[in-house]
Amino acid sequence: MKIYVFGVRGDEEAPLKKWASENPDVSIDYTTDILTSETADNAKGFDGVCSVQREPYSREALKKLHDFGISKLSVRNVGTDGFDYKDLNDFSFTLTNVPVYSPNAIAEHASFLVGRLLRRVPEFDKKFENGNFKWAPTIGTEISGKTVGVIGTGHIGSVFARIMQFGYGAKVIAYDIDPNPALENLGIYVDSLDELLEQADIISLHTPLEPQDYHMIDADAISKMKQGSYIINCARGGLVDSQALIDGLDSGKIAGAGLDVLDNENGIFQKDFGSIDAVPNEKFKNLAKRDNVIITPHTAFYTKKAVHNMVYEAMDTQKALLSGEITKNIVDTKEFAKTV
Ligand code: COI
């Protein structure tokens, strides 16, 4: 059995080689390049493919794999919004993802963004760099006693809710079209998204990007929020309309934002521009230059534990698929994914 692995980063090489040594019946080859219509040629002669989302997958790349007789594709991440499901269905692909690799990685990161925003860390960092060690006027706000609204309560959202409630003593409220039975006893669910938007001081997003949720946080949603609320997005950039966020920050309706993902992150994250001014995106620059906005380049997932689990789980799943075993982690490509 032969598996070709695309987009292998330096930090993935060790777990991938370890997996290969533990699975001598599988022969693997890999590239640092992501799967594109050009690099797809590398997979000729292989039985299956393992990849990771960094940019949208092109129809041409999938067609090439199909023409090489490949129909099994395992991604090493949770989100599947990089695929057009029609392409996958047209070329009869079975797609698997890694629905759970380390919910704590993302939930902890989201909680740090909340803490760094409320204690005005970017402003203190700037003062510090200039040798200014005065407290005033950079006074902070405590999370304790604040109402934290969690949108999406799957694996990640539920860990985040617990951190906020039991770790920081916040009042947590949550909204989910499909409430998580494990959280029902906490009594945190509200009945509608509007209710959450109206009540929360801090709103954190933990949902996948389904087509109907594109720009879930737009100007209308922001108008329903409390004056001076905070937005945290460690889920998918497309959930928040960056222009509406900029307008909300300008008006003061939004007091700050912690963003690990952005609706225009493709072509920006994973690149080195040398300076913020060189980034070819005005909305990005506008957000990045604010003291009350913290941007991290889609790094919430990026821990040793998560990376190890992503590689192992995806490779195990691809091997099982190719062995004809009925495997977990199969993405329902008839409907948009409900995985986070
Ligand atoms: C995911 O798991 O979907 C992520 O957002 C992480 C990344 C490697 C794409």
Side-chain angles (χ1 to χ4, degrees):
M1 173 190 307
K2 294 168 79 179
I3 302 176
Y4 197 81
V5 191
F6 285 95
V8 178
R9 303 180 309 270
D11 52 85
E12 290 181 305
E13 272 188 320
L16 184 60
K17 284 182 179 160
K18 189 160 182 287
W19 185 91
S21 72
E22 291 165 7
N23 292 271
D25 50 332
V26 182
S27 110
I28 68 157
D29 199 358
Y30 64 91
T31 173
T32 54
D33 294 332
I34 59 170
L35 172 59
T36 64
S37 55
E38 287 87 42
T39 64
D41 288 333
N42 294 357
K44 196 171 183 180
F46 283 77
D47 304 304
V49 158
C50 179
S51 175
V52 69
Q53 178 166 333
R54 254 189 263 162
E55 283 174 17
Y57 294 91
S58 72
R59 182 176 175 87
E60 294 70 38
L62 297 175
K63 180 173 183 319
K64 265 206 182 159
L65 296 183
H66 170 79
D67 292 345
F68 297 152
I70 295 170
S71 63
K72 312 236 178 325
L73 181 49
S74 295
V75 291
R76 308 193 284 287
N77 59 291
V78 55
T80 54
D81 48 296
F83 290 100
D84 183 332
Y85 283 9
K86 184 173 180 314
D87 296 340
L88 291 170
N89 292 327
D90 286 351
F91 301 127
S92 311
F93 272 99
T94 303
L95 175 70
T96 68
N97 69 345
V98 184
V100 189
Y101 45 81
S102 179
N104 273 74
I106 296 106
E108 288 177 16
H109 189 88
S111 79
F112 302 151
L113 289 175
V114 176
R116 287 173 67 199
L117 277 175
L118 269 62
R119 300 309 285 263
R120 302 174 65 174
V121 172
E123 289 166 82
F124 270 115
D125 282 350
K126 260 193 198 163
K127 281 166 58 167
F128 193 91
E129 276 165 27
N130 293 318
N132 176 357
F133 309 126
K134 289 185 165 185
W135 300 329
T138 323
I139 193 159
T141 304
E142 294 174 25
I143 301 171
S144 157
K146 289 274 173 269
T147 300
V148 176
V150 183
I151 303 177
T153 51
H155 298 285
I156 299 167
S158 57
V159 174
F160 178 78
R162 287 177 195 279
I163 292 174
M164 287 293 127
Q165 182 162 348
F166 302 119
Y168 287 108
K171 176 185 174 195
V172 173
I173 56 172
Y175 177 69
D176 200 318
I177 46 163
D178 195 10
N180 185 342
L183 294 185
E184 295 278 18
N185 65 337
L186 299 184
I188 59 177
Y189 284 108
V190 292
D191 295 330
S192 69
L193 179 59
D194 280 2
E195 233 178 290
L196 184 141
L197 298 176
E198 284 157 16
Q199 291 177 25
D201 300 298
I202 300 158
I203 292 167
S204 193
L205 298 161
H206 299 284
T207 67
L209 179 61
E210 302 197 17
Q212 69 273 18
D213 293 330
Y214 182 72
H215 286 181
M216 172 196 282
I217 304 299
D218 58 7
D220 182 49
I222 290 175
S223 73
K224 293 173 183 155
M225 291 177 193
K226 276 172 126 170
Q227 185 69 21
S229 43
Y230 292 85
I231 296 176
I232 308 294
N233 188 7
C234 288
R236 278 295 180 264
L239 295 170
V240 176
D241 176 352
S242 288
Q243 187 55 53
L245 177 60
I246 288 170
D247 295 342
L249 288 159
D250 282 344
S251 72
K253 182 84 174 176
I254 306 295
L259 308 169
D260 187 55
V261 288
L262 282 161
D263 59 353
N264 42 34
E265 73 182 54
N266 281 328
I268 300 178
F269 289 168
Q270 295 299 309
K271 292 202 165 65
D272 185 351
F273 291 93
S275 82
I276 293 291
D277 285 323
V279 178
N281 186 300
E282 293 312 311
K283 285 184 207 162
F284 180 88
K285 280 192 278 208
N286 180 311
L287 288 167
K289 288 186 175 176
R290 293 171 188 257
D291 284 339
N292 56 350
V293 174
I294 300 175
I295 298 179
T296 52
H298 210 137
T299 51
F301 82 98
Y302 195 48
T303 66
K304 289 173 188 165
K305 177 178 169 183
V307 169
H308 175 275
N309 291 348
M310 290 160 110
V311 169
Y312 264 70
E313 183 79 7
M315 292 300 287
D316 283 345
T317 311
Q318 179 64 207
K319 179 180 172 182
L321 264 186
L322 292 174
S323 308
E325 290 168 27
I326 303 210
T327 155
K328 53 187 181 164
N329 302 345
I330 291 185
V331 177
D332 179 2
T333 55
K334 300 288 172 278
E335 239 194 285
F336 205 85
K338 289 189 175 59
T339 46
V340 171

